[in-house]
Amino acid sequence: MNIRTFAPLFAAVLLAACSPQEGAPGGGNASSAASGPAAPAAGKVELTNVSYDVARNFYEKYNPLFNRQNPDIAIKQSHGGSSKQALAVANGLQADVVTMNQSSDIELLVEKGLVSPEWQSRLPDNAVPFTSTTVFLVRKGNPQNIRDWNDLARDGIKVIISNPKTTGNGRYSFLGAYGYALKANNGDDAKAREFVGRVMHNVPVFDNGGRAATTTFVQRQIGDVLVTFENEARLAAKQFGEGQFEVVYPAYSVRMESPVAVVDSVVDKRGTREAATAYLKYLWSKEAQELGASLYLRPANPEVLAAHADTLPPVETFRPTDVFGPWKEIMPKYFGDGGVFDQLMKSPAK
């Protein structure tokens, strides 16, 4: 199937994925209302899970899995750029649980008094059931011969990423390039900034979410390479154009952690704490960990991860907080108004 033949199919898949239905992904931006049944059946508890953009596929399958063991709990989903979603919750979106792709989005809710400061200690693995890493998706045959981060800075290469100002996916892409450049230049920050600036100036459009960036690359056929999470790249290559794309693993990349938390202010008001806690704890069940691995998320369970080494190969990664400091420092320095990202985008392309 060539890409032009595939485009309508891709659009139909996305339309179905974004349609309101129980246990299915919700709207494509942070301000969209959570999707799901209009009202829970009599005797049912209803939970709203506010999540990041490319977690749609996982929760579309996880929710029915959880419901097999907990049939009296109905789940509604809302998806969008991670930080936009966190802001929506901070501004009143009634989430019982949040499932994000960086801890700073949950820490924002802690600062607002919506989530307990002890949220990480309430669940295993510091409340991170899955991790991922940033990889490259290229077109069949890799016509631009893109092998590592340095190739993204070449003249004429069009790089597709989501907006680092508003999305966790975009931030990990930005920090992945920055971390690579620091390592390649023995910690020289000036050279690293120059490199990242060249990469950013190769981006023709900054999309508002990871899934939107995938749509731009796959359906709209814009760009030579999509920089995104491993699970999104692998699913796109497998489901959204089999044989049309290839996944490229850089030699050194950034580690993404997907933390989860109960929104205390909401569950206490609605009386849903027990159901919300059960919903999150089940993410560490063997069934849920296997499900995540089958969708190319790296499970916290080391035995499950090892069993999927053929599809989740070992990758040398770094945590952003180990290289750039805590998220509370990363966010304003690199992604706040006037921060490093803004400075690089205002500077002339080199």
Side-chain angles (χ1 to χ4, degrees), residues 171-236:
R171 285 189 203 108
Y172 281 106
S173 297
F174 181 94
L175 296 174
Y178 212 124
Y180 161 83
L182 285 172
K183 183 179 181 182
N185 292 284
N186 298 312
D188 190 320
D189 188 69
K191 290 182 178 179
R193 283 174 63 116
E194 180 184 357
F195 171 81
V196 176
R198 284 188 279 128
V199 174
M200 293 300 107
H201 279 286
N202 278 347
V203 180
V205 57
F206 289 100
D207 286 295
N208 63 7
R211 180 54 55 85
T214 302
T215 302
T216 293
F217 184 72
V218 174
Q219 184 182 4
R220 298 174 62 197
Q221 303 179 52
I222 296 174
D224 300 302
V225 55
L226 171 68
V227 185
T228 190
F229 295 143
E230 176 184 28
N231 60 303
E232 178 75 351
R234 294 294 298 264
L235 286 171

Coordinates of all heavy atoms in Angstrom, one line a residue, residues 171-236:
R171 N 9.3 18.5 24.3 CA 10.4 18.8 25.3 C 11.4 17.7 25.3 O 12.6 18.0 25.3 CB 9.8 19.1 26.7 CG 9.1 20.4 26.8 CD 8.8 20.7 28.2 NE 7.7 21.7 28.2 CZ 6.4 21.4 28.5 NH1 6.1 20.2 28.9 NH2 5.5 22.3 28.4
Y172 N 10.9 16.5 25.3 CA 11.9 15.4 25.3 C 12.7 15.4 24.0 O 13.9 15.0 24.0 CB 11.2 14.0 25.5 CG 10.8 13.7 26.9 CD1 9.5 13.9 27.3 CD2 11.7 13.3 27.9 CE1 9.1 13.6 28.6 CE2 11.4 13.1 29.2 CZ 10.0 13.2 29.6 OH 9.7 12.9 30.9
S173 N 12.1 15.7 22.9 CA 12.9 15.8 21.6 C 13.9 16.8 21.7 O 15.1 16.6 21.3 CB 11.9 16.1 20.5 OG 11.0 15.0 20.3
F174 N 13.5 18.0 22.2 CA 14.5 19.1 22.4 C 15.6 18.7 23.3 O 16.8 18.9 23.0 CB 13.7 20.3 22.9 CG 14.6 21.6 23.1 CD1 14.6 22.5 22.1 CD2 15.3 21.8 24.3 CE1 15.4 23.7 22.3 CE2 16.0 22.9 24.5 CZ 16.1 23.9 23.5
L175 N 15.3 18.2 24.5 CA 16.3 17.8 25.5 C 17.2 16.6 25.0 O 18.3 16.5 25.3 CB 15.7 17.5 26.8 CG 15.0 18.7 27.5 CD1 14.2 18.2 28.7 CD2 16.0 19.8 27.8
G176 N 16.5 15.7 24.2 CA 17.3 14.6 23.6 C 18.4 15.2 22.7 O 19.6 14.7 22.8
A177 N 18.1 16.1 21.8 CA 19.1 16.7 20.9 C 20.1 17.5 21.8 O 21.3 17.4 21.5 CB 18.4 17.7 20.0
Y178 N 19.7 18.2 22.8 CA 20.6 18.9 23.6 C 21.6 18.0 24.4 O 22.8 18.3 24.4 CB 19.8 19.8 24.6 CG 20.4 21.1 24.9 CD1 19.7 22.3 24.7 CD2 21.7 21.2 25.5 CE1 20.3 23.6 25.1 CE2 22.3 22.4 25.8 CZ 21.6 23.6 25.6 OH 22.1 24.8 25.9
G179 N 21.0 17.0 25.0 CA 21.8 16.0 25.7 C 22.9 15.3 24.8 O 24.0 15.1 25.2
Y180 N 22.4 15.0 23.6 CA 23.4 14.4 22.7 C 24.5 15.3 22.3 O 25.7 15.0 22.3 CB 22.6 14.0 21.4 CG 23.6 13.8 20.2 CD1 24.2 12.6 20.0 CD2 23.8 14.9 19.3 CE1 25.1 12.5 18.9 CE2 24.7 14.7 18.2 CZ 25.3 13.5 18.0 OH 26.2 13.4 17.0
A181 N 24.1 16.6 22.1 CA 25.1 17.6 21.7 C 26.1 17.9 22.9 O 27.3 18.1 22.6 CB 24.5 18.9 21.3
L182 N 25.6 17.9 24.1 CA 26.5 18.1 25.2 C 27.5 16.9 25.3 O 28.7 17.1 25.6 CB 25.7 18.2 26.5 CG 25.0 19.5 26.8 CD1 24.1 19.3 28.0 CD2 25.9 20.6 27.0
K183 N 27.0 15.7 25.1 CA 27.9 14.5 25.2 C 28.9 14.6 24.0 O 30.1 14.3 24.2 CB 27.1 13.3 25.1 CG 28.0 12.0 25.3 CD 27.1 10.7 25.2 CE 28.0 9.5 25.4 NZ 27.2 8.3 25.3
A184 N 28.5 14.9 22.8 CA 29.3 14.9 21.7 C 30.4 16.0 21.7 O 31.5 15.9 21.1 CB 28.5 15.1 20.4
N185 N 30.1 17.1 22.5 CA 31.0 18.2 22.6 C 31.6 18.4 24.0 O 32.0 19.5 24.4 CB 30.3 19.5 22.2 CG 29.9 19.6 20.7 OD1 30.7 19.8 19.9 ND2 28.6 19.3 20.4
N186 N 31.7 17.3 24.7 CA 32.4 17.3 26.0 C 31.8 18.3 27.0 O 32.6 19.0 27.7 CB 33.9 17.4 25.8 CG 34.5 16.3 25.0 OD1 34.3 15.1 25.3 ND2 35.3 16.7 24.1
G187 N 30.5 18.5 26.9 CA 29.9 19.4 27.9 C 29.9 20.8 27.5 O 29.5 21.7 28.3
D188 N 30.3 21.2 26.3 CA 30.4 22.6 25.9 C 29.0 23.1 25.6 O 28.4 22.7 24.5 CB 31.3 22.7 24.6 CG 31.6 24.1 24.2 OD1 30.7 24.9 24.3 OD2 32.7 24.4 23.8
D189 N 28.4 23.9 26.4 CA 27.1 24.3 26.3 C 26.9 25.2 25.1 O 25.8 25.2 24.4 CB 26.6 25.0 27.6 CG 25.1 25.3 27.5 OD1 24.3 24.4 27.6 OD2 24.7 26.5 27.4
A190 N 27.8 26.1 24.8 CA 27.7 27.0 23.6 C 27.6 26.2 22.3 O 26.7 26.5 21.5 CB 28.9 27.9 23.5
K191 N 28.4 25.1 22.2 CA 28.3 24.3 21.0 C 27.0 23.5 20.9 O 26.4 23.3 19.9 CB 29.5 23.4 20.9 CG 30.8 24.0 20.6 CD 32.0 23.0 20.5 CE 33.3 23.8 20.2 NZ 34.4 22.8 20.1
A192 N 26.5 23.1 22.1 CA 25.3 22.3 22.2 C 24.1 23.2 21.8 O 23.2 22.8 21.0 CB 25.1 21.8 23.6
R193 N 24.1 24.4 22.3 CA 23.0 25.4 21.9 C 23.0 25.6 20.4 O 22.0 25.7 19.8 CB 23.2 26.7 22.7 CG 22.8 26.7 24.1 CD 23.1 27.9 24.8 NE 22.4 29.1 24.3 CZ 21.5 29.8 24.9 NH1 21.2 29.5 26.2 NH2 20.9 30.8 24.4
E194 N 24.2 25.8 19.9 CA 24.3 26.1 18.4 C 23.7 24.9 17.6 O 23.0 25.1 16.7 CB 25.7 26.3 18.0 CG 25.9 26.6 16.5 CD 27.4 26.7 16.1 OE1 28.3 26.7 17.0 OE2 27.6 26.9 14.9
F195 N 24.1 23.7 18.1 CA 23.6 22.5 17.4 C 22.0 22.4 17.5 O 21.4 22.2 16.5 CB 24.2 21.2 18.0 CG 23.6 19.9 17.5 CD1 24.0 19.4 16.3 CD2 22.6 19.3 18.3 CE1 23.4 18.2 15.9 CE2 22.0 18.1 17.8 CZ 22.4 17.6 16.6
V196 N 21.5 22.6 18.7 CA 20.1 22.5 18.9 C 19.4 23.6 18.1 O 18.3 23.3 17.5 CB 19.7 22.5 20.4 CG1 18.2 22.5 20.5 CG2 20.3 21.4 21.1
G197 N 19.9 24.7 18.0 CA 19.4 25.8 17.2 C 19.2 25.4 15.7 O 18.2 25.7 15.1
R198 N 20.2 24.7 15.2 CA 20.2 24.3 13.8 C 19.1 23.2 13.6 O 18.4 23.3 12.6 CB 21.5 23.7 13.4 CG 22.6 24.9 13.1 CD 23.8 24.3 12.5 NE 24.7 23.8 13.5 CZ 25.3 22.6 13.4 NH1 25.0 21.7 12.4 NH2 26.1 22.2 14.4
V199 N 19.0 22.3 14.6 CA 17.9 21.3 14.5 C 16.5 22.0 14.5 O 15.6 21.7 13.7 CB 18.0 20.3 15.6 CG1 16.8 19.4 15.6 CG2 19.3 19.5 15.5
M200 N 16.3 23.0 15.4 CA 15.0 23.6 15.6 C 14.7 24.4 14.3 O 13.5 24.5 14.0 CB 15.0 24.5 16.8 CG 15.1 23.8 18.2 SD 13.7 22.6 18.4 CE 14.6 21.0 18.2
H201 N 15.7 25.0 13.7 CA 15.4 25.8 12.5 C 15.1 24.9 11.3 O 14.7 25.4 10.2 CB 16.6 26.7 12.2 CG 16.5 28.0 13.0 ND1 15.7 29.0 12.8 CD2 17.3 28.4 14.1 CE1 15.8 30.0 13.6 NE2 16.8 29.6 14.5
N202 N 15.3 23.6 11.5 CA 14.9 22.6 10.4 C 13.5 22.1 10.6 O 13.1 21.3 9.8 CB 15.9 21.4 10.4 CG 17.2 21.7 9.7 OD1 17.3 22.7 8.9 ND2 18.2 20.8 9.8
V203 N 12.8 22.6 11.6 CA 11.4 22.2 11.8 C 10.4 23.2 11.1 O 10.4 24.3 11.4 CB 11.1 22.2 13.3 CG1 9.6 21.8 13.6 CG2 12.0 21.3 14.1
P204 N 9.7 22.7 10.1 CA 8.8 23.5 9.3 C 7.5 23.9 10.1 O 7.0 25.0 9.8 CB 8.5 22.7 8.1 CG 8.6 21.3 8.5 CD 9.7 21.3 9.5
V205 N 7.1 23.1 11.0 CA 5.9 23.4 11.8 C 6.0 22.7 13.1 O 6.4 21.5 13.2 CB 4.6 22.9 11.0 CG1 4.7 21.5 10.7 CG2 3.4 23.3 11.8
F206 N 5.6 23.4 14.2 CA 5.6 22.8 15.6 C 4.2 22.5 15.9 O 3.3 23.3 16.1 CB 6.2 23.8 16.6 CG 7.7 24.0 16.5 CD1 8.2 25.1 15.9 CD2 8.5 23.0 17.1 CE1 9.6 25.3 15.8 CE2 9.9 23.2 17.0 CZ 10.4 24.3 16.3
D207 N 3.8 21.2 15.9 CA 2.5 20.7 16.2 C 2.1 20.8 17.7 O 3.0 20.8 18.5 CB 2.3 19.3 15.7 CG 2.2 19.3 14.1 OD1 1.3 19.8 13.6 OD2 3.1 18.7 13.5
N208 N 0.8 20.8 17.9 CA 0.4 21.0 19.3 C 0.3 19.7 20.1 O -0.2 19.7 21.3 CB -1.0 21.7 19.4 CG -2.1 20.9 18.7 OD1 -1.9 19.8 18.3 ND2 -3.2 21.6 18.5
G209 N 0.8 18.6 19.6 CA 0.8 17.4 20.3 C 1.5 16.3 19.6 O 1.8 16.4 18.4
G210 N 1.9 15.2 20.3 CA 2.7 14.2 19.6 C 1.9 13.5 18.5 O 2.4 13.1 17.5
R211 N 0.6 13.3 18.7 CA -0.2 12.6 17.7 C -0.4 13.5 16.5 O -0.4 13.1 15.3 CB -1.6 12.2 18.3 CG -2.5 11.5 17.3 CD -1.9 10.3 16.6 NE -1.3 9.3 17.4 CZ -2.0 8.3 18.0 NH1 -3.3 8.2 17.8 NH2 -1.4 7.4 18.7
A212 N -0.5 14.9 16.7 CA -0.6 15.8 15.6 C 0.6 15.8 14.8 O 0.6 15.9 13.6 CB -0.9 17.2 16.2
A213 N 1.8 15.7 15.4 CA 3.0 15.6 14.7 C 3.1 14.3 13.8 O 3.6 14.4 12.7 CB 4.2 15.6 15.7
T214 N 2.6 13.2 14.4 CA 2.5 12.0 13.6 C 1.7 12.2 12.4 O 2.0 11.7 11.3 CB 2.0 10.8 14.5 OG1 2.9 10.7 15.6 CG2 2.0 9.5 13.7
T215 N 0.5 12.8 12.5 CA -0.4 13.1 11.4 C 0.3 13.9 10.4 O 0.2 13.7 9.2 CB -1.7 13.8 11.9 OG1 -2.3 13.0 12.9 CG2 -2.6 14.1 10.8
T216 N 1.0 15.0 10.8 CA 1.8 15.8 9.9 C 2.7 15.0 9.0 O 2.8 15.2 7.8 CB 2.5 16.9 10.6 OG1 1.5 17.8 11.2 CG2 3.4 17.7 9.7
F217 N 3.5 14.1 9.7 CA 4.5 13.3 9.0 C 3.9 12.2 8.1 O 4.3 12.1 7.0 CB 5.4 12.7 10.0 CG 6.6 12.0 9.4 CD1 7.6 12.7 8.8 CD2 6.7 10.6 9.4 CE1 8.7 12.0 8.2 CE2 7.7 9.9 8.9 CZ 8.7 10.6 8.3
V218 N 2.9 11.5 8.7 CA 2.4 10.3 8.0 C 1.3 10.7 7.0 O 1.4 10.3 5.8 CB 1.9 9.3 9.0 CG1 1.2 8.2 8.3 CG2 3.0 8.8 9.8
Q219 N 0.3 11.5 7.4 CA -0.8 11.7 6.5 C -0.6 12.9 5.6 O -0.8 12.8 4.4 CB -2.1 12.0 7.4 CG -3.3 12.3 6.5 CD -4.5 12.6 7.4 OE1 -4.4 12.8 8.6 NE2 -5.7 12.7 6.7
R220 N 0.0 14.0 6.1 CA 0.2 15.2 5.3 C 1.5 15.1 4.5 O 1.8 15.9 3.7 CB 0.3 16.4 6.2 CG -1.1 16.7 6.9 CD -1.0 17.8 7.9 NE -0.6 19.1 7.2 CZ -0.2 20.2 7.8 NH1 0.0 20.2 9.1 NH2 0.1 21.3 7.1
Q221 N 2.3 14.0 4.8 CA 3.6 13.8 4.1 C 4.6 14.9 4.2 O 5.3 15.2 3.2 CB 3.3 13.4 2.7 CG 2.3 12.2 2.5 CD 2.0 11.9 1.1 OE1 2.9 11.7 0.3 NE2 0.7 11.8 0.8
I222 N 4.6 15.6 5.3 CA 5.5 16.7 5.5 C 6.7 16.2 6.3 O 6.6 15.5 7.3 CB 4.9 17.9 6.2 CG1 3.7 18.5 5.3 CG2 5.9 19.0 6.5 CD1 2.9 19.5 6.0
G223 N 7.9 16.5 5.9 CA 9.1 16.2 6.6 C 9.9 15.0 6.2 O 9.3 14.1 5.5
D224 N 11.1 14.9 6.6 CA 12.0 13.8 6.3 C 12.1 12.8 7.5 O 12.4 11.7 7.3 CB 13.4 14.3 5.9 CG 13.4 15.2 4.7 OD1 13.0 14.8 3.7 OD2 13.9 16.4 4.9
V225 N 11.8 13.4 8.7 CA 12.0 12.5 9.9 C 11.0 13.1 11.0 O 10.8 14.3 11.1 CB 13.4 12.6 10.4 CG1 13.9 14.0 10.6 CG2 13.6 11.7 11.7
L226 N 10.4 12.1 11.7 CA 9.5 12.5 12.8 C 10.3 12.1 14.1 O 10.8 10.9 14.2 CB 8.2 11.7 12.7 CG 7.3 11.7 14.0 CD1 6.8 13.1 14.2 CD2 6.2 10.7 13.9
V227 N 10.4 13.0 15.0 CA 11.1 12.8 16.3 C 10.0 12.6 17.3 O 9.3 13.6 17.6 CB 12.1 13.9 16.6 CG1 12.9 13.5 17.9 CG2 13.1 14.1 15.5
T228 N 9.9 11.4 17.9 CA 8.8 11.2 18.8 C 9.1 10.0 19.8 O 10.2 9.5 19.7 CB 7.5 10.9 18.0 OG1 6.4 10.9 18.9 CG2 7.6 9.5 17.3
F229 N 8.2 9.7 20.6 CA 8.4 8.6 21.5 C 8.5 7.3 20.8 O 7.8 7.1 19.8 CB 7.3 8.5 22.6 CG 7.2 9.7 23.5 CD1 6.0 10.2 23.9 CD2 8.4 10.3 24.0 CE1 6.0 11.3 24.8 CE2 8.3 11.4 24.9 CZ 7.1 11.9 25.3
E230 N 9.2 6.3 21.3 CA 9.4 5.0 20.7 C 8.1 4.4 20.5 O 7.8 3.8 19.4 CB 10.2 4.2 21.7 CG 10.4 2.7 21.2 CD 11.2 1.9 22.2 OE1 11.2 2.2 23.4 OE2 11.9 1.0 21.8
N231 N 7.1 4.4 21.4 CA 5.9 3.7 21.2 C 5.1 4.3 20.1 O 4.4 3.6 19.3 CB 5.1 3.7 22.5 CG 4.7 5.0 23.1 OD1 5.6 5.8 23.3 ND2 3.4 5.3 23.3
E232 N 5.1 5.6 20.0 CA 4.4 6.3 18.9 C 5.0 6.0 17.6 O 4.3 5.7 16.6 CB 4.3 7.8 19.2 CG 3.6 8.6 18.1 CD 2.1 8.5 18.1 OE1 1.6 7.7 18.9 OE2 1.5 9.3 17.3
A233 N 6.3 6.0 17.5 CA 7.0 5.7 16.2 C 6.7 4.2 15.8 O 6.4 3.9 14.6 CB 8.5 5.9 16.3
R234 N 6.8 3.3 16.7 CA 6.6 1.9 16.4 C 5.2 1.6 16.0 O 4.9 0.8 15.0 CB 7.0 1.0 17.6 CG 8.5 1.0 18.0 CD 9.4 0.5 16.9 NE 9.1 -0.9 16.6 CZ 9.8 -1.9 17.2 NH1 10.8 -1.7 18.0 NH2 9.5 -3.2 16.9
L235 N 4.2 2.2 16.7 CA 2.8 2.0 16.3 C 2.5 2.6 15.0 O 1.8 2.0 14.2 CB 1.9 2.6 17.4 CG 1.8 1.8 18.7 CD1 1.1 2.6 19.7 CD2 1.1 0.4 18.5
A236 N 3.1 3.8 14.7 CA 2.9 4.4 13.4 C 3.4 3.6 12.3 O 2.8 3.4 11.2 CB 3.5 5.8 13.4

